Amino acid sequence: MRLPWMRAIASFLFSATLSAPAWANANANSAVPGTLNYVEGKVSIGGETLDSKSIGSAELKPGQSLTTGSGKAEVLLTPGVFLRVGDNSTVTMISPGITDTVVGIERGRAMLEVEEIHPENDIRVTVDGATARILKTGLYDFSSDAGWLRVYDGQALVKDGDRQVKVKGGRELDFAPNGPLKAEKFDKKADEEGDLYRWSSLRSGYVAEANVDAARMYAANGLGPWGPGWWGAGWYWDPWFDGFTFIPGDGIFYSSFGWGFYSPWWVYDAPFYGYGNRRYGYGGHYYHHFSADVRSWGPGSHYVAGQNYSGGIYRGPGSVGRGFQSGPVTTGGSRGFGGSRGGGFAGGGFHGGGGVGGGGFHGGGGGHGR
């Protein structure tokens, strides 16, 4: 016989599930490494042309190549890792595994933004016969045509035949010369004026705003543990921003571009957390659409608008300035270390889809709720 308190709890959970926001469990599909998160201009996978309807559903599978003409694309890898492909470029998915993620830059240029990485991850990028293994969170720029790697923040181990070298932040490596590989300094300020860098910064700011929007909704609903469909670090679909965003398991993970990606535990620290709550009532939402013109994104404050944003870097409220940190900059409290609660490999984080159930490690996921 079931005890009354057990029936009460079951009734509560059932009611909470029925009342969950529709966007928290809109679709059983999830983001896996290779999922397309944004596209503009002329882009294709194989012979299939991609457009806005492909976002969130198109997937770059092993052996397939994504090619751009006059266009750009954003592809999700492991949770917290964004691959952004520039104009007139080709990238190939070699391995889409969570613990074995390999992409090849065959032509043109691509940038890798890494918000979170675990010892169990093995993220590699091949360029001109060389292989760069990503060792730390940061921002990485690859050019197949010019034959170099530039590390803005972070660290990569590059192997080319029997040669290898570690490339740290502020250094670039030319793959062409014979003899020992040698990383040298490069002018980051000058490179920040480049088209792909500026576009990547805008995309990162847009996805960071989606993070605040999604994380505060999970925090507000207070179930599972912070809202229906939230069970740790991973990719989460936000229909108000037409794409997936990254939500860490705990703490605040700061981007090389200056803004933070907040867990539901810490989203109240976000600079734009209150927008839409006091003015329009809690949970007010508006559709946003990405473009090069931030004024067309949608209502509200934006990281990339105003005097706090210049050279692709945000230095306003909620920013740690230049440089990448993989944990929150906070004082006091016991929740401090990013990714230490309910996220990453130790606490789930790789789920097959949204909803109140369906947690656990499924090996190819990391996405929720589309």
Side-chain angles (χ1 to χ4, degrees):
M1 181 179 68
R2 295 183 179 179
L3 297 175
W5 64 268
M6 294 179 65
R7 290 197 298 268
I9 292 175
S11 176
F12 167 77
L13 291 175
F14 180 71
S15 298
T17 302
L18 293 180
S19 61
W23 61 271
N25 191 23
N27 194 299
N29 293 334
S30 64
V32 298
T35 298
L36 181 74
N37 203 42
Y38 181 72
V39 63
E40 66 181 41
K42 187 177 180 180
V43 183
S44 63
I45 293 180
E48 181 180 352
T49 300
L50 304 177
D51 57 24
S52 60
K53 296 179 181 179
S54 307
I55 295 173
S57 59
E59 179 185 338
L60 189 60
K61 297 182 178 180
Q64 289 187 328
S65 296
L66 181 146
T67 300
T68 65
S70 179
K72 297 180 178 67
E74 178 179 271
V75 177
L76 307 179
L77 298 182
T78 59
V81 181
F82 301 84
L83 175 67
R84 299 189 176 101
V85 185
D87 296 85
N88 303 307
S89 302
T90 300
V91 300
T92 299
M93 176 61 74
I94 300 172
S95 172
I98 287 290
T99 57
D100 181 32
T101 313
V102 188
V103 295
I105 313 300
E106 312 295 341
R107 178 176 67 100
R109 192 168 173 181
M111 297 192 78
L112 198 69
E113 181 181 357
V114 182
E115 312 295 5
E116 184 173 17
I117 191 169
H118 298 269
E120 297 88 344
N121 291 125
D122 185 5
I123 302 170
R124 287 166 287 154
V125 179
T126 65
V127 185
D128 295 346
T131 299
R133 184 183 181 191
I134 307 303
L135 302 179
K136 295 183 179 181
T137 55
L139 184 64
Y140 304 83
D141 192 359
F142 300 87
S143 175
S144 176
D145 295 346
W148 48 248
L149 158 66
R150 290 174 179 167
V151 180
Y152 290 87
D153 299 296
Q155 187 177 93
L157 176 63
V158 178
K159 293 184 178 181
D160 187 359
D162 59 355
R163 303 179 299 168
Q164 71 175 38
V165 65
K166 284 187 178 180
V167 186
K168 300 180 180 180
R171 302 275 177 168
E172 70 175 351
L173 178 67
D174 190 343
F175 300 125
N178 295 321
L181 295 173
K182 184 179 180 180
E184 300 180 343
K185 290 184 178 180
F186 73 99
D187 187 349
K188 291 197 287 185
K189 288 188 176 295
D191 207 51
E192 288 167 3
E193 298 302 317
D195 176 64
L196 181 58
Y197 182 95
R198 289 185 285 108
W199 184 82
S200 295
S201 177
L202 289 176
R203 277 298 306 167
S204 182
Y206 185 85
V207 176
E209 290 182 19
N211 159 267
V212 175
D213 180 71
R216 73 180 177 89
M217 288 302 297
Y218 287 116
N221 284 282
L223 177 68
W226 278 104
W230 190 83
W231 293 96
W235 298 118
Y236 289 81
W237 179 262
D238 189 334
W240 306 103
F241 283 78
D242 289 326
F244 284 98
T245 187
F246 171 62
I247 302 182
D250 192 11
I252 309 167
F253 287 72
Y254 289 98
S255 166
S256 293
F257 296 112
W259 33 75
F261 285 81
Y262 297 80
S263 72
W265 302 89
W266 288 99
V267 68
Y268 60 83
D269 278 341
F272 306 136
Y273 174 75
Y275 180 80
N277 298 348
R278 292 185 292 270
R279 185 175 177 184
Y280 297 103
Y282 196 87
H285 281 280
Y286 298 88
Y287 285 107
H288 294 72
H289 300 281
F290 178 80
S291 75
D293 181 4
V294 67
R295 292 173 295 181
S296 67
W297 285 12
S301 301
H302 302 291
Y303 285 109
V304 300
Q307 61 183 3
N308 292 320
Y309 178 79
S310 63
I313 305 295
Y314 171 75
R315 298 179 176 85
S319 168
V320 295
R322 205 174 173 81
F324 197 103
Q325 299 191 29
S326 59
V329 177
T330 55
T331 57
S334 60
R335 297 177 289 181
F337 298 107
S340 64
R341 182 194 297 265
F345 285 79
F350 298 95
H351 307 290
V356 176
F361 187 102
H362 296 289
H368 308 258
R370 182 170 192 273

